[in-house]
Amino acid sequence: MPTSLELLELAAEASQRAYAPYSKYQVGACILTESGEIFSGANIENISYGATICAERTAIAVMRTAGNHRIRTIAVHTPDQGWPCGICLQTIAEFVIDADSTKIVVPSLNGFIERSLRELAPHLWSSDLVKKK
Ligand code: THU
């Protein structure tokens, strides 16, 4: 099983493949699934800025398209050690078993910092009125 630092290295590699001609801010994400598979993604911008896809959601699209849908850990590399945005946290939540055991990892000066999805997003949108099919 890869370590958090190894996942961060893969996220940093993925960030090199970002398409970020507008912000020049390259982000990479690397997912470790519950079954031990790894999927990476980078941010993909668009001249119509709102069409931009964050690195985390690109990685999730790759994961889901490969037939996997359970995130255990997601490592995120940004130029300034940022955490995933709110839309990405909500999207991560769609593909986890539970928010307490799902880990989000970002680099720090001493290595890395790890937080649960629940810690970063304690009030995720979830309603029994909206049913999954
Ligand atoms: N971005 C991500 O890839 N992930 C996030 O969680 C937040 C922001 C991207 C979007 C845009 O291409 C660039 O970072 C600058 O906001």
Side-chain angles (χ1 to χ4, degrees):
M1 208 57 86
T3 65
S4 291
L5 274 179
E6 286 167 339
L7 293 176
L8 274 173
E9 273 170 33
L10 293 171
E13 266 175 37
S15 75
Q16 310 272 310
R17 298 189 290 275
Y19 176 73
Y22 306 107
S23 72
K24 314 266 193 272
Y25 188 91
Q26 296 186 288
V27 184
C30 181
I31 294 170
L32 173 66
T33 66
E34 290 289 349
S35 52
E37 289 174 277
I38 287 174
F39 299 99
S40 297
N43 53 329
I44 301 172
E45 297 187 346
N46 193 278
I47 184 68
S48 175
Y49 299 164
T52 292
I53 309 169
C54 290
E56 298 88 328
R57 285 178 289 128
T58 303
I60 288 167
V62 171
M63 172 194 75
R64 173 66 213 194
T65 308
N68 206 308
H69 61 128
R70 290 286 180 247
I71 300 167
R72 177 193 303 220
T73 303
I74 179 163
V76 181
H77 174 95
T78 70
D80 56 1
Q81 305 164 357
W83 294 98
C85 76
I87 293 176
C88 288
L89 292 173
Q90 185 70 48
T91 309
I92 291 166
E94 187 77 21
F95 298 104
V96 302
I97 289 175
D98 82 282
D100 294 298
S101 63
T102 305
K103 297 292 176 208
I104 294 158
V105 184
V106 300
S108 73
L109 289 178
N110 307 324
F112 64 91
I113 313 177
E114 209 169 72
R115 294 283 181 272
S116 71
L117 176 58
R118 179 85 64 207
E119 286 175 286
L120 295 185
H123 302 290
L124 287 157
W125 170 248
S126 164
S127 174
D128 287 343
L129 296 175
V130 185
K131 297 279 183 205
K132 276 189 186 177
K133 284 195 179 155

